[in-house]
Amino acid sequence: VLAGPDRVAAARQHVEQGCNVIISDDGLQHYRLRRDIEIAVIDSMRRFGNRLCLPAGPLREPVSRLKSVSVRVANGVPDAGELGMTFEPAGFYNLAEPERRAATDQFRDGPVHAVAGIGNPDRFFSGLRGLGLNVIPHPFPDHHGFLPGELEFGDDRPVIMTEKDAVKCEPFATARRWVLAVEARPDAALAVGDGARGDGVGHRAIVRRRRPSRRSFRRHTRSITIAMPWPTPMHIVASA
């Protein structure tokens, strides 16, 4: 895994390490990076908001851009021309001791503090309530850089957070802080390559290739970009 603003430089580094498939999260707008497949993930609850791009609206790309992507995947209930995807809880683990696991029942004896610095915190809070937890929500802005004191709420109740936020909170982990692991389960059609194109036309998305760019740095490297119109995090479990 590499992180950096220059996606082409990161991709070159992957290739030098022997990688022949590159998945670029939020890579739709990085046009210097040649891509073979584009997957746009849409929040089915909020859709496209006011349909304007940042900073006037929530989108990174105009809605019209969806007409040219390989596949549209809705996080939740899909509309026509989209494939669906759900996030399934995969258990809780302790932030200070990741090997320490906990069952959901352990958190049902009283209220829990739920912390989320993601694009749609309410989705995380609703998911915890769906597990039968009494949630005290603490929403933070997307990509929030947490400070130790922001996870202290004046009691000894458990604090549960997303995996994305957990990475930022590891330096001040305590035994009371827990992480909900999730797995993305996309429509089976995506796994076998039957895509939903932006214009609603079904096709074999996984074998659909864009014309090679003259700027391509390695002919035999395939690039898959995964982008979200909303600046919202996601986790994808990919298999081949």
Side-chain angles (χ1 to χ4, degrees):
V1 178
L2 292 175
D6 190 336
R7 298 301 174 92
V8 174
R12 284 198 180 101
Q13 186 173 342
H14 272 308
V15 172
E16 291 169 357
Q17 296 171 350
C19 180
N20 59 7
V21 176
I22 297 171
I23 300 178
S24 179
D25 182 33
D26 288 337
L28 193 65
Q29 67 270 38
H30 292 267
Y31 290 103
R32 290 176 53 237
L33 179 65
R34 176 212 168 190
R35 68 285 312 271
D36 299 287
I37 301 169
E38 291 182 334
I39 303 174
V41 181
I42 301 163
D43 188 321
S44 66
M45 295 174 60
R46 300 187 297 176
R47 302 299 298 179
F48 309 114
N50 63 4
R51 303 178 74 87
L52 298 178
C53 291
L54 294 168
L59 306 182
R60 290 193 177 103
E61 294 273 342
V63 177
S64 59
R65 179 68 170 83
L66 293 174
K67 295 180 180 179
S68 62
V69 303
S70 306
V71 188
R72 296 195 308 179
V73 178
N75 180 8
V77 180
D79 278 1
E82 299 172 353
L83 298 178
M85 179 185 71
T86 60
F87 284 105
E88 301 293 337
F92 297 89
Y93 65 88
N94 189 264
L95 184 60
E97 301 176 69
E99 67 281 358
R100 183 181 165 203
R101 303 285 171 161
T104 305
D105 288 344
Q106 181 174 326
F107 304 106
R108 288 179 176 152
D109 62 348
V112 298
H113 297 283
V115 172
I118 59 178
N120 187 2
D122 285 339
R123 183 184 288 274
F124 178 65
F125 302 147
S126 296
L128 291 176
R129 293 188 183 103
L131 295 175
L133 304 188
N134 180 5
V135 174
I136 304 174
H138 301 277
F140 288 85
D142 193 18
H143 302 294
H144 181 69
F146 287 91
L147 298 174
E150 293 176 319
L151 300 181
E152 297 293 341
F153 304 107
D155 57 34
D156 60 354
R157 300 304 306 166
V159 178
I160 301 176
M161 64 188 69
T162 70
E163 290 184 288
K164 175 187 174 182
D165 296 320
V167 174
K168 304 172 185 177
C169 298
E170 285 177 353
F172 38 90
T174 70
R176 288 193 303 107
R177 293 167 187 168
W178 295 84
V179 184
L180 175 63
V182 296
E183 291 184 357
R185 300 191 180 278
D187 189 299
L190 183 62
V192 300
D194 294 322
R197 200 165 128 187
D199 57 10
V201 179
H203 67 301
R204 303 289 293 182
I206 300 305
V207 299
R208 177 174 179 263
R209 297 181 63 85
R210 292 181 173 271
R211 181 178 299 174
S213 168
R214 292 182 180 179
R215 297 180 179 178
S216 177
F217 51 85
R218 185 64 68 89
R219 180 172 298 176
H220 300 296
T221 297
R222 303 194 68 192
S223 176
I224 303 172
T225 65
I226 300 172
M228 303 193 71
W230 287 85
T232 306
M234 67 172 296
H235 304 275
I236 286 191
V237 178
S239 61

